[in-house]
């Protein structure tokens, strides 16, 4: 088959690799000027590290199959995400664990921490909003330190104005385990993510700086199958309305110090600090050799059509609109496949994208 793949992000690139391997001819078009979508990294010589241009990307999975799959494209280092939280003058271990509870309450044992936390909780069987849910799950002290300001910044709404269901669980660990992820496998590709994407696209013809939707009908006519990984509403020229997103703005700076913050990721949870995270990229590469360092401040921002879509706002209104677009998409039949985080209007981690793209490709060959 002659296949057109719209988007050179992870989903589109895996499709190009797998379908190319099956003997199909794949052309990939990408509207940005580079491949990789949001996993794009580039080498920053001054700090001798790979910059995670669209935010920190740590690969993690519980699936041995997916872990082995990605490792055919690169070696992965042993990076483990151990986030710290800055609030006022204090620094805390995170996610909330026994060390955090010691830092906040002074409790030294699991039993003492459990008792102290239980005394904090505001009982509520039927929380009316996210704030009430958090107060019942972790109490006011931890809520104020870790959730309130961060959530208000990230989503542009106070937790009081968000549904209780917006947070599914708030894990508190009564051990000193501060590994951000619970998965068995975790790491960052040595040489960055872009090198992986380049390998995946080896067999395909790739054109960057091309927006499929500007010439959609002609592209559709020219190919047997179109795999579309862009925004679903954009495919239909927003005819039913616009799906909402939250955006991000990144401010990068090269600093004349070897090690700025001693960690890859520090979250800033106070509302008065406008950024949510500071990333120091060389820690992802586990290398502190260079005299200089590259840091990025991440600012949450309102999103407008035309900007990069970062986080879908999955509330009832948007999910309902998505379903109506989905019905239009289904009516197009098998000639177009809609896949990836934008076309499915879902936040997906990378391992979920790998799993979904592989599942789709196995259906194409069948
Ligand atoms: P994308 O990467 O968005 O690729 C889609 C591509 O299609 C884009 O390049 C886009 O430009 C292109 N495109 C869109 N429309 C058109 C068009 N009309 N014509 C041509 N091209 C088009 N996952 C993890 O597992 N671990 C993490 O630590 C992690 N951190 C993250 C941090 C942030 C800030 C964000 C936003 C995401 C993070 N993720 C993380 C998720 C990860 O980025 C996604 O799983 C992955 O990038 C999704 O790949 P995709 O191909 O579906 O989408």
């Amino acid at each position: 088959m002659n296949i057109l793949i719209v988007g050179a992000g992870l989903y589109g690139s895996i499709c190009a690799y797998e379908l190319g391997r099956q003997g199909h001819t794949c052309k990939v078009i990408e509207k940005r000027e580079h491949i990789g979508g949001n996993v794009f990294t580039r080498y920053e010589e001054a700090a001798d590290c790979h910059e995670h241009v669209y935010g920190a990307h740590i690969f993690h999975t519980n699936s041995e199959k997916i872990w082995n799959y990605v490792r055919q494209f690169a070696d992965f280092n042993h990076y483990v995400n151990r986030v710290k939280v800055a609030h006022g003058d204090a620094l805390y271990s995170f996610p909330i664990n026994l060390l955090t509870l010691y830092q906040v309450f002074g409790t030294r044992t699991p039993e003492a921490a459990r008792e102290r936390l239980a005394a904090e909780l505001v009982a509520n069987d039927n929380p009316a909003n996210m704030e009430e849910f958090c107060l019942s799950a972790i109490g006011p002290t931890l809520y104020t330190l870790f959730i309130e300001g961060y959530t208000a910044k990230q989503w542009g709404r106070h937790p009081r104005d968000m549904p209780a269901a917006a947070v599914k669980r708030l894990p508190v660990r009564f051990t000193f385990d501060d590994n951000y992820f619970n998965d068995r496998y975790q790491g960052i590709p040595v040489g960055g993510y872009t090198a992986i994407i380049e390998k995946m696209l080896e067999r395909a013809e790739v054109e960057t700086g091309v927006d499929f939707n500007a010439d959609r009908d002609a592209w559709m006519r020219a190919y047997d199958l179109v795999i579309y990984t862009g925004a679903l509403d954009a495919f239909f020229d927003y005819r039913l309305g616009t799906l909402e997103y939250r955006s991000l703005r990144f401010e990068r700076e090269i600093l004349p110090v070897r090690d700025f913050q001693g960690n890859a990721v520090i979250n800033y949870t106070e509302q008065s600090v406008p950024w949510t995270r500071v990333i120091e990229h060389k820690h992802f590469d586990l290398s502190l050799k260079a005299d200089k360092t590259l840091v990025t401040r991440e600012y949450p921002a309102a999103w407008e059509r035309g900007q990069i879509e970062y986080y879908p706002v999955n509330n009832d209104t948007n999910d309902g609109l998505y379903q109506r677009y989905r019905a239009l998409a289904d009516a197009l039949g098998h000639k177009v496949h809609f896949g990836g985080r934008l076309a499915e209007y879902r936040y997906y981690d990378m391992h979920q994208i790998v799993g979904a793209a592989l599942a789709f490709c196995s259906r194409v060959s069948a």
Side-chain angles (χ1 to χ4, degrees):
M1 271 198 288
N2 263 334
I3 301 177
L4 178 72
I5 297 171
V6 181
L10 189 57
Y11 192 97
S13 301
I14 291 172
C15 290
Y17 183 77
E18 290 300 317
L19 299 174
R21 227 163 49 97
Q22 288 168 23
H24 301 291
T25 306
C26 296
K27 167 149 181 140
V28 179
I29 56 171
E30 165 57 57
K31 72 175 178 186
R32 300 188 207 181
E33 296 298 336
H34 61 74
I35 59 171
N38 280 357
V39 309
F40 175 64
T41 51
R42 68 179 161 221
Y43 179 65
E44 173 50 69
E45 198 173 355
D48 186 23
C49 66
H50 293 88
E51 176 180 1
H52 294 213
V53 176
Y54 298 99
H57 275 78
I58 299 110
F59 198 94
H60 57 97
T61 179
N62 255 329
S63 159
E64 192 176 353
K65 184 177 156 223
I66 287 176
W67 183 234
N68 287 337
Y69 182 80
V70 293
R71 288 187 307 147
Q72 69 180 297
F73 301 102
D75 288 334
F76 278 65
N77 69 20
H78 291 99
Y79 177 84
V80 174
N81 206 26
R82 299 187 195 280
V83 173
K84 305 290 173 258
V85 163
H87 193 285
D89 292 335
L91 275 176
Y92 298 99
S93 181
F94 195 76
I96 300 167
N97 65 75
L98 209 47
L99 187 60
T100 325
L101 297 168
Y102 169 72
Q103 290 164 330
V104 176
F105 298 125
T107 49
R108 294 177 62 103
T109 63
E111 198 189 340
R114 276 181 205 279
E115 267 177 33
R116 181 68 180 78
L117 190 61
E120 281 267 313
L121 305 187
V122 182
N124 188 339
D125 288 340
N126 192 17
N129 56 49
M130 184 176 162
E131 180 171 80
E132 287 185 14
F133 172 81
C134 293
L135 294 176
S136 71
I138 56 171
T141 311
L142 298 175
Y143 165 68
T144 308
L145 276 175
F146 299 114
I147 310 290
E148 186 181 19
Y150 190 85
T151 304
K153 288 192 286 190
Q154 180 79 354
W155 294 103
R157 286 167 74 192
H158 192 274
R160 207 179 296 124
D161 303 320
M162 295 174 72
V167 53
K168 293 193 177 63
R169 15 177 242 121
L170 278 175
V172 174
R173 296 175 183 164
F174 293 98
T175 66
F176 288 109
D177 178 9
D178 62 351
N179 183 344
Y180 194 83
F181 299 112
N182 289 314
D183 289 344
R184 265 172 83 186
Y185 308 105
Q186 181 174 175
I188 299 214
V190 177
Y193 288 94
T194 305
I196 290 187
I197 300 288
E198 276 166 1
K199 283 195 183 156
M200 289 174 172
L201 294 175
E202 243 164 32
R203 285 194 196 85
E205 183 196 337
V206 181
E207 241 186 290
T208 54
V210 179
D211 185 344
F212 166 81
N213 288 322
D215 212 1
R216 185 170 46 240
D217 293 346
W219 288 114
M220 294 278 282
R221 277 194 302 273
Y223 288 85
D224 304 315
L225 171 66
V226 173
I227 297 171
Y228 178 83
T229 73
L232 189 60
D233 51 359
F235 184 95
F236 293 104
D237 296 323
Y238 305 98
R239 74 174 80 145
L240 303 175
T242 305
L243 291 165
E244 250 188 299
Y245 283 88
R246 277 297 277 172
S247 191
L248 294 174
R249 183 169 64 80
F250 297 103
E251 236 175 56
R252 75 194 289 281
E253 202 178 356
I254 302 216
L255 299 173
V257 292
R258 191 173 293 267
D259 193 357
F260 171 68
Q261 62 182 17
N263 205 39
V265 184
I266 298 192
N267 288 359
Y268 285 76
T269 54
E270 276 167 298
Q271 201 163 358
S272 54
V273 177
W275 53 86
T276 45
R277 302 202 262 187
V278 176
I279 291 166
E280 186 170 15
H281 299 259
K282 58 166 51 174
H283 288 283
F284 291 128
D285 287 356
L286 307 179
S287 165
L288 296 178
K289 279 195 296 249
D291 295 338
K292 294 185 178 154
T293 195
L294 169 65
V295 296
T296 303
R297 286 188 172 71
E298 188 174 310
Y299 297 78
W303 174 83
E304 281 172 28
R305 213 195 265 179
Q307 296 176 330
I308 291 177
E309 304 88 347
Y310 283 95
Y311 297 108
V313 181
N314 288 112
N315 56 30
D316 290 348
T317 311
N318 289 322
D319 290 347
L321 181 57
Y322 171 76
Q323 287 308 330
R324 292 171 58 216
Y325 275 119
R326 194 62 244 180
L328 294 181
D330 291 345
L332 293 174
H334 294 302
K335 170 114 199 217
V336 196
H337 166 72
F338 295 88
R341 66 177 195 103
L342 292 168
E344 297 184 45
Y345 194 58
R346 278 270 159 250
Y347 177 85
Y348 283 129
D349 272 329
M350 291 180 279
H351 64 282
Q352 295 170 305
I353 291 287
V354 175
L358 289 179
F360 166 69
C361 291
S362 69
R363 292 200 301 276
V364 173
S365 59

